[in-house]
Each structure stands twice: as C-alpha cells, then as structure tokens.
Amino acid sequence: QVQLVESGGGLVQAGGSLRLSCAASGRIFSSSISDMGWYRQAPGNQRELVAAISSGGSTNYADSVKGRFTIFRDNAKKTVYLQMNSLKPEDTAVYYCQASIAISGVSRDHWGQGTQVTVSS
C-alpha cells in the first residue's frame, strides 16, 4: 500500500519561511513516481495547484507563489519538498502533496493527508 506522509507545516509570522516534506512509502520503486506536486485548500476555496515537478525536474508554479516558493525532489528518497519563503497571510491553507505513481503498469494519483500552514499578520 502506497502512502504519502507530509511534514513541516505550522504557524509562522508573515515574511517567515517553512519547508514542507512529503515522502512516499510502500513497495514502490523511485522510478515508478512521475509527477509530484503540492496543492492547497483554504476554507471556502477549491483546492488549487501551488507547484509541480516532473521526474526530470521541470517545474511549474502558481502565479501567486512565483519567486517565493521552490519545489524540488530527491528521487532516491522518494520525497518532494516545498520551500516557502516570504510567506503571506493569504498563503494560509491546508497543503496536500500529490504524486503520480505507477503500480503494475497503471499510474494513478496519490494524495497526502494534508498539513496546516498558518501565516499570521
């Protein structure tokens, strides 16, 4: 059974930084993991893409976080990270990691349980 385990959320003041981590566990090879990403959902809002990274390292960011957030991954550790700098109160949300993982030749999306990020003004 594949699980994505997130860590690193918390409470921080505006202008501060946090780093989120998400590790994939279970009987999978690192080569089975293709795209990975971070999404967030604030109360009353739909879940939105924050950043994504391909297995080759190509990245994509939401306009609202460009220049402040950095997504990167360690394929050997099956882990994706989100470095968040210059945090703003509007970044407050539950952050979810996502990974596309192929098992027995079938690829599907897996999700973490979510981690709360709260930015105080």
Side-chain angles (χ1 to χ4, degrees):
Q1 184 175 354
V2 175
Q3 284 189 313
L4 299 180
V5 180
E6 301 159 355
S7 60
L11 173 64
V12 65
Q13 287 188 330
S17 297
L18 283 174
R19 176 177 291 186
L20 305 182
S21 301
C22 173
S25 64
R27 298 182 64 182
I28 56 172
F29 297 102
S30 58
S31 58
S32 300
I33 305 173
S34 55
D35 296 340
M36 304 183 84
W38 288 94
Y39 290 71
R40 67 186 180 188
Q41 187 168 18
N45 290 355
Q46 291 186 332
R47 190 174 297 189
E48 62 176 359
L49 174 68
V50 176
I53 184 168
S54 70
S55 57
S58 297
T59 58
N60 180 41
Y61 295 93
D63 288 343
S64 59
V65 307
K66 284 180 180 177
R68 299 188 298 121
F69 291 9
T70 302
I71 187 171
F72 57 102
R73 62 194 284 175
D74 185 330
N75 290 331
K77 294 183 178 179
K78 295 178 284 187
T79 299
V80 63
Y81 304 89
L82 185 68
Q83 177 66 42
M84 304 185 292
N85 299 329
S86 302
L87 281 160
K88 304 176 181 180
E90 51 263 44
D91 294 319
T92 296
V94 178
Y95 284 70
Y96 299 89
C97 74
Q98 169 270 334
S100 297
I101 302 175
I103 299 174
S104 300
V106 178
S107 181
R108 71 175 185 91
D109 287 344
H110 292 76
W111 293 88
Q113 78 283 2
T115 185
Q116 177 70 46
V117 171
T118 302
V119 184
S120 63
S121 58

